[in-house]
Each structure stands twice: as structure tokens, then as C-alpha cells.
């Protein structure tokens, strides 16, 4: 049932993207490019190697005496006489015949949207973008502060955190450079 729901969910998202684009709302290029990259990675796989099929096969083909098979599972039990082959055959068919084509439709739709996309990720470029941004801020921050007030509050917090970090680093004998210079170290 979950596999049968995937193509409809993908097609609904594709339709929503078309509807948004018809209203002048498209994701920025960086978002579209990343989504296209992920879709292409999926489409490059054989159906039996996808996330929709491979884990199911692994669970159904696991030895009956393994600890994994004794744990509760959301995977339907295979009939004892067919070893899960019928379940796998139905799953493979759903992936190959319905899910992969839905991914192709999504890829084609995003490729088309990319032709009209812009690099600017800000919502100010969108119809009623400033009003949308203010509404999103109110929803996410539960405050009536303006975007500029929130920005200034953020800058003040970064300044305070940097000063505190600088003090801690100096107490450890790290007195050269700014605390921000360590960000590449912490990012790994």
C-alpha cells in the first residue's frame, strides 16, 4: 500500500509545482538543481537497487532465525511457501512501472521550471513576497517584530556569542585571530 501511494504523492507535488509556477512562484536555481541532482541519482539506479525495493528485499530474504526477523516489522510477512517472491515481484513491478515513471515526470517538470528559475533565493522577488515573509516570520517567531528588528536582534546575538567564544578561547591560550576563523575547523 505504501509503494502504491508513492507515485500519487510525487505527481501531487509535481502538480503543485506547476500550479505555483503558474502563479509566479518558482524555487530558486540552487533548490531546483539540487532536486534534479537527487532525482537523477534515483533514476540512475536499477529498480531493484532503489530505496523502495532493496530494503524490502533484504528484510524478506533475511534468514528466518536472524534477530532482525524476530523483531516486530512493518513489512508484510511473506507466505511461508513462496519465500516472499510474490511480494517482491509486486514490489518490483510497482517500482519499475509506477514509481520510476513518476520520478521521470517530476524530473521533466523541474527541468522545465528550471528554464524560468532565477538565482535569487529570497521571497521578496515573489508576488506579495514581502507580505509572505512577514507572515512567515510571525508564524515561525510568534512575535510582531519587523524583519529588520529580527535581523538586528540576530546580529546582536551573534556579536554576544562571538564575544563569549573569544573570551573562552583566550582563557585557553588561543589569543590570535577572530573566533569566526574557527568555523571551518568546526564544520569538519
Amino acid at each position: 500500500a505504501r509503494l502504491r501511494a508513492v507515485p500519487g504523492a510525487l505527481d501531487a507535488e509535481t502538480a503543485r509545482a506547476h500550479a505555483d509556477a503558474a502563479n509566479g512562484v518558482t524555487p530558486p536555481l540552487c533548490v531546483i538543481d539540487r532536486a534534479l541532482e537527487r532525482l537523477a541519482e534515483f533514476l540512475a539506479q536499477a529498480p531493484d537497487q532503489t530505496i523502495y525495493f532493496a530494503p524490502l528485499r533484504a528484510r524478506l530474504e533475511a534468514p528466518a532465525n536472524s534477530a532482525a526477523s524476530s523483531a516486530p516489522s512493518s513489512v508484510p510477512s511473506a507466505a511461508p511457501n513462496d519465500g516472499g517472491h510474490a511480494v517482491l515481484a509486486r514490489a518490483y513491478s510497482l517500482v519499475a512501472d509506477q514509481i520510476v515513471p513518476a520520478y521521470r515526470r517530476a524530473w521533466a517538470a523541474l527541468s522545465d521550471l528550471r528554464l524560468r528559475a532565477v538565482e535569487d533565493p529570497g521571497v521578496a522577488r515573489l508576488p506579495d513576497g514581502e507580505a509572505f515573509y512577514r507572515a512567515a516570520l510571525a508564524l515561525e517567531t510568534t512575535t510582531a517584530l519587523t524583519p529588520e528588528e529580527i535581523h538586528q536582534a540576530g546580529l546582536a546575538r551573534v556579536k554576544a556569542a562571538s564575544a563569549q567564544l573569544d573570551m573562552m578561547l583566550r582563557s585557553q591560550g588561543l589569543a590570535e585571530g577572530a573566533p569566526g576563523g574557527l568555523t571551518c575547523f568546526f564544520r569538519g
Side-chain angles (χ1 to χ4, degrees):
R2 290 180 181 169
L3 289 178
R4 283 192 298 273
V6 171
L10 286 169
D11 287 338
E13 284 300 311
T14 300
R16 187 178 61 77
H18 279 296
D20 287 348
N23 289 317
V25 179
T26 57
L29 280 171
C30 61
V31 171
I32 291 176
D33 286 346
R34 182 67 179 131
L36 285 170
E37 202 175 283
R38 297 300 304 266
L39 290 168
E41 288 169 4
F42 175 85
L43 291 169
Q45 298 174 348
D48 65 336
Q49 299 300 309
T50 67
I51 193 160
Y52 297 107
F53 186 85
L56 176 64
R57 178 182 54 213
R59 294 201 62 192
L60 288 176
E61 292 178 349
N65 61 357
S66 74
S69 65
S70 63
S73 170
S74 61
V75 176
S77 298
N81 60 354
D82 78 1
H85 296 296
V87 171
L88 288 176
R90 285 194 310 271
Y92 183 89
S93 179
L94 283 167
V95 172
D97 300 336
Q98 295 181 32
I99 294 174
V100 169
Y103 268 77
R104 283 190 191 115
R105 290 188 296 274
W107 188 88
L110 277 178
S111 294
D112 182 55
L113 289 179
R114 190 183 190 288
L115 299 174
R116 294 170 288 193
V118 296
E119 290 190 29
D120 180 10
V123 295
R125 68 179 166 78
L126 302 174
D128 297 319
E130 186 175 330
F132 172 82
Y133 186 73
R134 286 179 183 275
L137 279 177
L139 179 68
E140 295 297 325
T141 64
T142 64
T143 182
L145 295 175
T146 68
E148 182 58 30
E149 290 169 331
I150 290 173
H151 181 71
Q152 291 305 318
L155 291 175
R157 285 190 179 187
V158 168
K159 185 177 180 179
S162 293
Q164 187 176 11
L165 178 59
D166 187 47
M167 183 177 68
M168 292 177 355
L169 291 171
R170 287 180 187 280
S171 74
Q172 298 297 313
L174 300 170
E176 291 185 31
L182 295 174
T183 56
C184 65
F185 173 77
F186 290 116
R187 288 184 186 154

